[in-house]
Amino acid sequence: GHPAGAGESSSPGGGGGDGGGAAEGDGGDEADRAASAARVVREVVRLTAERHPEGLAQQTRGGWCALHLALLHQIEDESVAHETLRLTAALRPSVLGHADGDGHTPLHLALQHARSSVAGEVVRLTAQHHPEVLGQGQLNNWLPVHAAFYQKSADVILEVLRLTAEHSPEAFGRPAAFSAEARDPGAAARALVDLSRALPVHVAVVASVAG
């Protein structure tokens, strides 16, 4: 289940941890279009990395780098996010510490929106290059250790918990300051709680109950 209360951001897209792909019955044409789109985007990312690598760290007016957008806009083919992450970490690792206009780093976005295979790699690379992000809150002080419970993979969640305990143990005592605007309204209703000022332990319990 997903925790309630993360609040809505101005991020231009999104999905959910291990979010779905094309709707059932869409057929092969949509899959082909998605594969073609992914191939084109991968080539743009590759050429940017080769010819203008500083472009990987360029932020839009909303504070998004290419990696932020790749994590937000999930498509059927995960290779876009994987390739953008690989090249960004190799050429411009500082991007892993960049926050957008709402304070979301690639780690926050990966935990909330990306599939587990991508999210797990973002967790690993962030801990390697910018471990301070593990204790960094977004606009409403939503920490990675809160956001981890959007993931369906226990392995990803446990790795975030382990790395947070190692690098930012104080995060376990820091409440999120969001109002009770539920990203998944049903989760709050089922759990019958208001998650304003929730600690990670509150989110963990509610995520397990509401699942």
Side-chain angles (χ1 to χ4, degrees):
H2 295 323
E8 296 300 326
S9 77
S10 59
S11 302
D18 285 302
E24 186 176 355
D26 284 346
D29 287 346
E30 183 160 338
D32 289 344
R33 285 194 297 271
S36 295
R39 187 166 66 251
V40 170
V41 176
R42 286 197 310 272
E43 184 65 4
V44 174
V45 172
R46 185 188 70 78
L47 288 170
T48 300
E50 180 181 307
R51 304 294 184 180
H52 189 68
E54 56 269 29
L56 295 173
Q58 178 68 41
Q59 292 177 288
T60 68
R61 189 171 183 176
W64 304 301
C65 298
L67 180 57
H68 292 81
L69 295 171
L71 295 170
L72 278 166
H73 290 281
Q74 291 293 291
I75 58 177
E76 189 67 23
D77 188 339
E78 296 177 35
S79 63
V80 170
H82 278 297
E83 185 70 355
T84 307
L85 175 61
R86 182 183 72 80
L87 291 170
T88 299
L91 299 173
R92 292 295 186 273
S94 63
V95 169
L96 290 163
H98 284 185
D100 67 15
D102 290 323
H104 296 95
T105 67
L107 178 58
H108 292 86
L109 296 176
L111 291 172
Q112 292 183 61
H113 298 282
R115 295 178 176 90
S116 59
S117 62
V118 175
E121 191 65 4
V122 176
V123 171
R124 183 185 71 79
L125 288 168
T126 300
Q128 176 182 335
H129 294 287
H130 283 279
E132 72 279 2
V133 168
L134 290 157
Q136 186 172 324
Q138 45 83 284
L139 185 65
N140 295 312
N141 206 33
W142 190 244
L143 302 165
V145 74
H146 290 98
F149 294 98
Y150 277 95
Q151 282 292 313
K152 294 180 180 178
S153 168
D155 289 340
V156 172
I157 297 171
L158 290 170
E159 185 66 358
V160 173
L161 294 174
R162 183 186 71 79
L163 290 168
T164 301
E166 177 180 346
H167 296 287
S168 298
E170 71 284 355
F172 290 97
R174 286 175 55 191
F178 46 74
S179 61
E181 288 285 332
R183 207 185 140 88
D184 172 7
R190 289 192 300 273
L192 299 177
V193 296
D194 180 339
L195 282 180
S196 299
R197 299 198 58 75
L199 297 176
V201 67
H202 298 123
V203 179
V205 172
V206 170
S208 65
V209 171

